[in-house]
Amino acid sequence: MPKSSKVTQRELSNEHVTESVADLLALEAPMDYKSSQMSMNMAGGGPPPIGKPDISPDLEDGRPAWNSKLQYILAQVGFSVGLGNVWRFPYLCQKNGGGAYLVPYFILLILIGIPLFFLELAVGQRIRRGSIGVWNYVYPRLGGIGVSSLMVCGFVGLYYNVIIGWSIFYFFQSFQYPLPWSECPIRRNGSQAIVEPECEKSSATTYFWYRETLNITSTIADSGGLNWRMTLSLLAAWIIVCLAVIRGIQSSGKVMYFSSLFPYVVLFCFLVRGMFLKGAVDGIAHMFTPKLEIMLEPQVWREAATQVFFALGLGFGGVIAFSSYNKRDNNCHFDAVLVSVINFVTSILATLVVFAVLGFKANVMNEKCVVENAEKILGYLNSNVLSQDLIPPHVNFSHLTSSDYAEMYGVIKIVKEDSFAQLGLEPCLLEDELNKAVQGTGLAFIAFTEAMTHFPASPFWSVMFFFMLINLGLGSMIGTMTGITTPILDTFKIRKEVLTVGCCIVAFLCGLLFVQRSGNYFVAMFDDYSAGLPLTIVVILENVSVAWIYGTKRFMQDLEDMLGFRPYSVYFYLWKYVSPVCLLILIFATVVEMAISPPGYNAWVQDLVSYTLVCLVLFSLLSYSYCPRTINLKASFTQPCAVPNPYDSLASMEHKI
């Protein structure tokens, strides 16, 4: 801003600035970030408060605005509530102490979640810019924070939309009865009909996911070429996203009315239906049985902090972009608390639904286990391997209950202790089935689909479930795309329609990496390594920029000018001390974990019909070695990626990239 301007003269004379928009337009040169007055004032002793009208970065009448407060809230809720609420939070809750996990999660939501969410909302609303423009106005040299947010949004959007593509494929496959993943396919060998071996050794839902849907290769090095069905699904996903955001908030705001509300309708329907399923109460009881001793482990708090961090969409730039279209006097503190509470309640609701369904599935699988092992015992009785005296007199094989089988199993195990292992009998405990923790694609496309095959009217529930996943993903993708397009539109004179279509085309072409036959491995790698640590660093830089570079006292005064009231003093200490310390600890813990656990991916090996964890161990800067561990999918869907003893693996494999 020119030093001789009327604004500068009045600032130096301590007069109140009252120029009209016309005066500003007539007398001021176009704003240049690098030569802005905020930059000069920083050099001369710190930036002036954001709330001063003489450094207003944009004219309110020239920027689009939300049609209503409800539309804005639904947009923020749609962005923050995504697939992670359905398949990440329930898994973490089960893994980290059941109901006890809610305690550290809620504490960290108060300490870092709501304060940082409030900070992003306030900065975006006051400065009315996207992520790049916001940090350029706080201090020109901080614009790289916004660029980093934009880049992470790009990486996440590339693979996140692939998941929407998978959901679209399953959605259309659900319009069949019976569901195509309910039974193993039959292979004709001349006049003989046999069950597909790969399916028989795993399960129908597992086979449909890995072979029919992904047609996956056994290693990440073998691309296998494009999967044309997944390519078309990805194209459909990007067309839907493009149509939703092509006119900015004018189009995405209207889409949010449906995409944000419909998942709640489905979740409530599933909850009501799930409560009438056999075993649903067992699943919910298992879920909320607190394991207090686990709550004291540092790992639980680290994962709770990470989930809080990602659940609210911090650091992506979408929160800042959405709030930049608000009026400057909007009560963003109320919005921060409201959206955070809705997100938390949604996670609890989704957890109830997931474990009601998984409880039903556990009961079905446990009954199947009892029947299969009872048939083995009958065979041993008929062949005189076992004596009839070992069977309790009240046991009826035609109506065998789980408790009767458990009693019979216990007797046989004690009497036949020396040769029991050769019998191949399983304990068939419901607790073991409930303890099989599944997350991500394993939960949505294997465990949940298997449970729905046992539902009455299973195609209807399958259609509803995958339509819900599409809408959950679409809400998050709208926020992600807004986080990309808004800072670019603020910086360059580009038509939003042209920019949106161009971004979607480029993203689709880059996304072809994920729809190869090996694409699922790249999705897993991107999900694990492309966003976690970078986003944490972005958020701590945002926090430090406002609290320490700009100044917490100035920021609190700006909020008072903007909101008409002064936020609680506790925010001063949370922003300045508590949140940065928590984020530093989180970064340190993440780096330590990455150093201890080598990077890797879960590989489905067709020849072995099993899930293999391929862990990458760095021996030198120029050489890598892969160490596999083979896992039976019937035993577990997930396994920590650790470096195993080479002699523990069932197959010796060596992969090179």
Side-chain angles (χ1 to χ4, degrees), residues 302 536 540 578-591:
R302 187 190 70 80
T536 311
I540 194 173
V578 178
S579 295
V581 171
C582 290
L583 290 171
L584 281 174
I585 294 174
L586 179 58
I587 291 174
F588 177 77
T590 303
V591 172

Side-chain angles (χ1 to χ4, degrees), residues 32 36 108 121-122 243 261 301 325 369 385 409 442 488 555 581 586 589 624 648 655:
D32 178 64
S36 67
L108 292 170
L121 289 179
L243 293 176
L261 295 176
W301 290 82
Y325 298 112
C369 177
V385 175
Y409 176 87
I488 296 177
F555 189 59
V581 171
L586 179 58
Y624 295 88
D648 290 341
H655 302 300

